[in-house]
Amino acid sequence: MDSTRQQQQVTTTTHRLPGHPESDGDNDVFLPEGSAAPANQFLHELPSYQSLLRRKPSNYGTVERRRSTRRLTTSLSREPSRVGSIHEEPSIPLRDYALSIQDKRKIRDSQTSRPPYTSGWNQWRESSWNQARRYKDDLSALFSHLKLWQCNINSIEGKFGTGIGSYFSFLRFLVLLNLVIFILMFSFTTLPVAISKQGIFNSSQIIPVGTDVSCTIYSPAGQGLLYFYKNIIDLLSGTGFLELTYLFYGYYTVESVTVYIFSYSLPLAYVLVTISYLFLSVIWIVKRAVEGFKLSLVNNEDRFQSYCNKIFAGWDFCIADVQYARLKHSSLHHELKTDLAEERIRQRKDKRTRGETIRICSLRLFLNIIVIAVLGGCFYAVYVATTYSQERSNSVGPQQTNAINLLVEYLPSIVITIANFVTPVIFESIVRYEDYSPAFEIRFTLIRCVFVRLASIAVLLITLWSQITCQDETCSPCGYNNNLYPCWETRVGQEMYKLMIFDFLIISAVTLFVEFPRKLIVTYCSWKPAKWWGQQEFEIPHNVLEIVYGQTICWIGTFYAPLLPAIATVKYFIIFYIKKISLMENCRPSSRPFRASSSKFFFQVILLIGLVLACIPVGLGIAYVPSSKACGPFMNFITSWEIIPVTIKTFPVGLQNLINVLASESFAVPFFLLSCLVLFYVIALAGAHKKVVHQLQEQLTMESRDKLFLIRRLAEAQGIKA
């Protein structure tokens, strides 16, 4: 009796939706195909159906659409010959019809068995499209096979997982980026100068005009009879014979190259190609960062989804080795423990009293004061080392060069490298007492390490420019300190060159003299402290910071040393094999991997920070600091940027007016407003997409509840039968 009464009650409440007068079952979403009344009230007891009754019908389609679908299914059940009529409406895809899978299969079989008549033009267009698609797939497969180091990266991923493989993919990206930058600089700056030096085309050399004679004196050291070790020192420091090559800014003294009737302006090309490689780097990095951001946004949407991803989809099926499968297992185990630890810390944070909060904030304030003191000490050491190195280098003559002077030349690089090694250890010790979550500890430590590495370069450049752009009477004739820096652009290029060479030497020396002996000691020595020391871990964040640091140096130094990207390309090419051999022979994966190591987003964000830092000194050097009057292509200009307005003045009047309008506030303000409107539209669209995603997630949740409900009813039915 109870079950009969309940069934009658469900029948009276679910025959129609509240608020709609239709009585023919239009609003009944669970009606069988072709029936006007419900055949089984059991489906109306599903949680998803009860949830639909509480929602607005407009969210799930109009009544007319349900009526048309029901009429279609009724006609299909009564007249199967009308299945082919759906093919007459090609604008509506088959998946949009609310039909059962059997009916859709019938329709699909009918469409394939009776192909419609198409004209010769449509047949040719379809065959051409299919052929072009096959060619595109074949080319994509060929290019994927021809990718640089693809087999090596696949081998690394097979043994260590995609996390470490993503680091080597990132290294490959930097090799390609530097190669493209080198091609740009060589094609538009170095090649025209080399052609003009050979006398193939007519060219004009730059002659200083209207400049004090003392500003045009520039005599690089290195002439006369030299010892062999002096050439080695010049090769490491960028002085001597290297200063008089295409490597540095001061050698580019050609004003224009005439090819038949075309005049090629080298100063204009020098500035434009610098802007081009920076803009290209921004576009390329942002494009790759967006791809990684999508994955990061999906993975970090909620904690429950993160748990499910780790438990049900966290295994890396690229792993083929038993040992590294165990490491991956322990890695997932550690990540789950970390998630639980973060949850406990979050709960503990919510239960903190006011006194505990004040105590932790006071402790963090004290520890951050210590961090600031460490950073201040590092920056002061870089400042003192740079000042001493520059003063000693300018006071030493060409015949007084020896190993001590080489050490003085590399003193800023040595101090920066020591700071990069010491500060991460200090920061890792300090952050343990700040009571942060494990994931935030890693991110916060990385932010501090990035700040140390990149800010050290900034301190070096600020120290150089404080000596170049002095404010006393020594700078009055030329606008810069021409006594110490007759060609200051070449000096900045030499500093960047030394930083890059020393960084490469340090990476090679650490691999050869630290990691390799450590592997031998751990493997062949039975001493307990050696076993406790363990094998070297391959820490992805630390290695990423190393190459980002080197790439930042390359971006800054390319304007002052146009061939520096070629050196960076060779450097990263060799580093790839050094890191690969070190990984295979000396290292093991980190037992506490960084969570974003398998995605591109973290790498690209760090690289983008380095690019932003690199744009600042390059922009100031082009637009603010007076150009050298004794070397380079801008001897007759106040600054390097002055070539742009001078060139614009040679354009026709109409084009000049157009450029002036584009550069004026009357264009900037409407463009800014239009950009804001586009931004608001994108934000609104993202909100709508997020709402749809939320609805789909709710639908998945309701389907899981339906499954539980059906399983429970099935178990009850089996119990009744038993």
Side-chain angles (χ1 to χ4, degrees):
M1 291 293 293
D2 295 338
S3 61
T4 305
R5 188 179 299 109
Q6 184 179 2
Q7 183 175 0
Q8 293 176 354
Q9 183 179 1
V10 172
T11 304
T12 57
T13 57
T14 60
H15 184 70
R16 65 180 64 194
L17 286 174
H20 288 265
E22 290 82 355
S23 60
D24 55 350
D26 290 332
N27 293 310
D28 203 335
V29 295
F30 286 111
L31 284 178
E33 321 302 5
S35 62
N40 188 359
Q41 298 298 334
F42 172 71
L43 297 177
H44 293 176
E45 299 180 13
L46 292 174
S48 58
Y49 184 83
Q50 299 298 325
S51 176
L52 288 175
L53 291 178
R54 295 190 297 269
R55 296 175 182 269
K56 293 183 179 180
S58 59
N59 292 338
Y60 299 91
T62 61
V63 175
E64 288 297 328
R65 183 174 181 180
R66 290 195 296 273
R67 284 178 177 175
S68 62
T69 303
R70 188 166 295 114
R71 285 195 296 269
L72 175 62
T73 56
T74 304
S75 63
L76 289 175
S77 61
R78 294 177 180 175
E79 301 180 25
S81 60
R82 296 187 58 188
V83 172
S85 62
I86 297 180
H87 185 71
E88 299 175 359
E89 299 181 2
S91 60
I92 303 177
L94 185 60
R95 63 175 178 270
D96 290 348
Y97 291 99
L99 303 175
S100 63
I101 191 65
Q102 292 82 4
D103 292 336
K104 289 184 178 181
R105 286 174 179 173
K106 291 179 182 179
I107 296 171
R108 182 64 65 194
D109 294 339
S110 176
Q111 290 177 348
T112 55
S113 62
R114 295 187 300 129
Y117 172 76
T118 56
S119 62
W121 166 255
N122 292 333
Q123 291 179 358
W124 178 84
R125 184 178 60 180
E126 185 176 358
S127 62
S128 301
W129 173 260
N130 293 333
Q131 188 176 6
R133 186 172 56 185
R134 286 195 300 269
Y135 286 154
K136 181 180 179 181
D137 294 339
D138 294 340
L139 288 176
S140 299
L142 179 62
F143 288 148
S144 177
H145 181 72
L146 295 178
K147 273 186 178 180
L148 182 64
W149 298 320
Q150 187 63 39
C151 296
N152 294 326
I153 293 176
N154 291 337
S155 176
I156 292 172
E157 290 180 348
K159 292 185 177 180
F160 298 93
T162 56
I164 295 179
S166 62
Y167 163 77
F168 288 92
S169 299
F170 181 62
L171 193 58
R172 176 180 61 187
F173 164 68
L174 291 183
V175 171
L176 297 177
L177 177 63
N178 285 294
L179 181 62
V180 172
I181 295 175
F182 163 69
I183 292 174
L184 285 175
M185 295 298 296
F186 180 80
S187 301
F188 293 99
T189 59
T190 307
L191 187 60
V193 174
I195 291 175
S196 65
K197 297 289 185 181
Q198 299 298 325
I200 299 177
F201 297 106
N202 294 329
S203 62
S204 60
Q205 298 290 325
I206 299 177
I207 300 176
V209 178
T211 306
D212 193 289
V213 179
S214 61
C215 300
T216 61
I217 300 175
Y218 176 54
S219 57
Q223 292 84 2
L225 183 62
L226 300 175
Y227 294 101
F228 176 74
Y229 72 87
K230 180 62 171 63
N231 292 328
I232 300 297
I233 293 175
D234 291 341
L235 183 64
L236 294 175
S237 60
T239 56
F241 73 94
L242 274 183
E243 194 170 351
L244 302 174
T245 59
Y246 296 100
L247 178 59
F248 293 110
Y249 168 94
Y251 193 73
Y252 295 80
T253 57
V254 176
E255 184 175 9
S256 63
V257 179
T258 303
V259 181
Y260 300 108
I261 60 173
F262 176 74
S263 180
Y264 183 83
S265 176
L266 181 66
L268 179 63
Y270 205 102
V271 173
L272 293 181
V273 76
T274 302
I275 299 174
S276 299
Y277 82 75
L278 292 174
F279 184 73
L280 173 66
S281 301
V282 170
I283 296 298
W284 204 344
I285 293 172
V286 169
K287 179 180 179 297
R288 290 174 59 90
V290 168
E291 297 175 358
F293 179 71
K294 293 178 182 178
L295 297 176
S296 176
L297 192 63
V298 172
N299 294 332
N300 298 328
E301 182 66 25
D302 57 0
R303 292 189 295 274
F304 179 75
Q305 183 179 2
S306 176
Y307 298 149
C308 293
N309 288 338
K310 288 183 178 66
I311 295 174
F312 298 107
W315 186 256
D316 190 352
F317 289 94
C318 293
I319 298 177
D321 190 82
V322 177
Q323 178 183 358
Y324 296 108
R326 294 174 180 171
L327 287 174
K328 181 64 177 179
H329 182 272
S330 63
S331 173
L332 289 174
H333 180 257
H334 174 77
E335 289 187 4
L336 290 174
K337 288 175 59 178
T338 303
D339 290 337
L340 295 175
E342 290 180 357
E343 191 66 27
R344 286 194 297 268
I345 291 175
R346 192 177 294 108
Q347 294 178 359
R348 189 176 63 196
K349 181 180 179 181
D350 296 336
K351 297 179 181 179
R352 283 176 185 168
T353 62
R354 182 175 298 178
E356 292 177 348
T357 304
I358 294 175
R359 182 184 62 81
I360 292 175
C361 292
S362 302
L363 179 61
R364 290 176 181 176
L365 179 62
F366 175 72
L367 293 176
N368 280 293
I369 292 175
I370 297 177
V371 170
I372 294 174
V374 172
L375 294 176
C378 293
F379 298 155
Y380 181 74
V382 173
Y383 171 78
V384 172
T386 305
T387 304
Y388 178 78
S389 175
Q390 296 299 313
E391 293 177 353
R392 180 68 181 269
S393 299
N394 292 321
S395 62
V396 173
Q399 281 75 25
Q400 299 177 350
T401 305
N402 49 31
I404 297 179
N405 291 327
L406 179 63
L407 183 64
V408 173
E409 287 279 346
Y410 271 90
L411 188 59
S413 303
I414 294 172
V415 173
I416 291 175
T417 303
I418 293 175
N420 293 338
F421 272 102
V422 173
T423 51
V425 178
I426 299 176
F427 294 157
E428 289 177 0
S429 301
I430 290 176
V431 78
R432 296 174 183 173
Y433 300 97
E434 293 182 293
D435 197 17
Y436 292 121
S437 62
F440 188 77
E441 283 183 6
I442 296 176
R443 296 190 187 99
F444 201 35
T445 304
L446 287 174
I447 290 173
R448 288 170 173 171
C449 294
V450 169
F451 183 75
V452 170
R453 286 180 177 268
L454 301 184
S456 299
I457 303 176
V459 172
L460 172 64
L461 294 174
I462 292 172
T463 307
L464 282 175
W465 282 349
S466 64
Q467 298 180 3
I468 293 171
T469 59
C470 57
Q471 303 298 328
D472 53 10
E473 62 277 359
T474 58
C475 296
S476 56
C478 310
Y480 61 94
N481 192 349
N482 64 302
N483 294 326
L484 298 179
Y485 305 98
C487 185
W488 65 266
E489 292 92 347
T490 297
R491 178 59 67 88
V492 175
Q494 289 172 348
E495 292 298 328
M496 298 298 106
Y497 173 81
K498 287 186 289 186
L499 285 175
M500 179 167 291
I501 296 297
F502 192 73
D503 182 59
F504 173 72
L505 294 177
I506 289 297
I507 293 175
S508 304
V510 168
T511 303
L512 185 61
F513 299 109
V514 177
E515 296 177 357
F516 182 67
R518 178 175 178 177
K519 171 65 180 299
L520 295 178
I521 293 173
V522 172
T523 305
Y524 299 104
C525 184
S526 58
W527 195 30
K528 288 186 178 180
K531 296 296 182 182
W532 174 81
W533 191 20
Q535 195 174 352
Q536 174 73 27
E537 290 186 355
F538 192 88
E539 299 178 355
I540 299 177
H542 175 71
N543 287 277
V544 169
L545 291 179
E546 282 184 350
I547 58 178
V548 169
Y549 167 76
Q551 185 60 37
T552 305
I553 294 172
C554 178
W555 277 323
I556 296 174
T558 301
F559 179 77
Y560 308 104
L563 296 185
L564 201 61
I567 300 175
T569 304
V570 176
K571 169 190 170 183
Y572 288 134
F573 189 88
I574 299 174
I575 286 177
F576 181 91
Y577 289 101
I578 291 176
K579 292 296 182 180
K580 178 190 172 184
I581 296 173
S582 175
L583 175 66
M584 296 293 186
E585 303 296 335
N586 303 332
C587 299
R588 60 182 174 90
S590 177
S591 59
R592 189 179 183 182
F594 184 69
R595 292 183 178 178
S597 60
S598 59
S599 67
K600 302 176 183 178
F601 182 63
F602 168 72
F603 300 158
Q604 304 303 326
V605 167
I606 299 298
L607 190 61
L608 193 61
I609 294 174
L611 179 58
V612 172
L613 177 65
C615 290
I616 296 175
V618 173
L620 292 176
I622 293 176
Y624 176 73
V625 182
S627 57
S628 297
K629 303 302 183 291
C631 66
F634 304 102
M635 288 189 286
N636 291 326
F637 298 97
I638 299 177
T639 60
S640 302
W641 182 256
E642 192 181 1
I643 184 64
I644 301 296
V646 170
T647 305
I648 292 176
K649 291 180 181 179
T650 61
F651 293 166
V653 178
L655 185 58
Q656 291 185 34
N657 295 332
L658 177 62
I659 295 175
N660 292 330
V661 169
L662 294 178
S664 63
E665 294 83 356
S666 59
F667 176 79
V669 174
F671 180 77
F672 176 74
L673 295 177
L674 180 63
S675 302
C676 291
L677 292 177
V678 174
L679 182 61
F680 291 153
Y681 169 75
V682 172
I683 293 175
L685 189 63
H689 290 168
K690 187 175 182 179
K691 185 177 180 180
V692 172
V693 170
H694 181 67
Q695 292 178 353
L696 293 175
Q697 290 176 346
E698 288 184 352
Q699 184 178 353
L700 289 174
T701 304
M702 296 307 300
E703 289 186 1
S704 65
R705 294 179 181 177
D706 289 346
K707 292 178 182 179
L708 293 176
F709 175 79
L710 294 175
I711 292 173
R712 191 182 305 113
R713 286 303 181 91
L714 181 61
E716 292 177 358
Q718 290 177 350
I720 293 174
K721 290 180 180 179

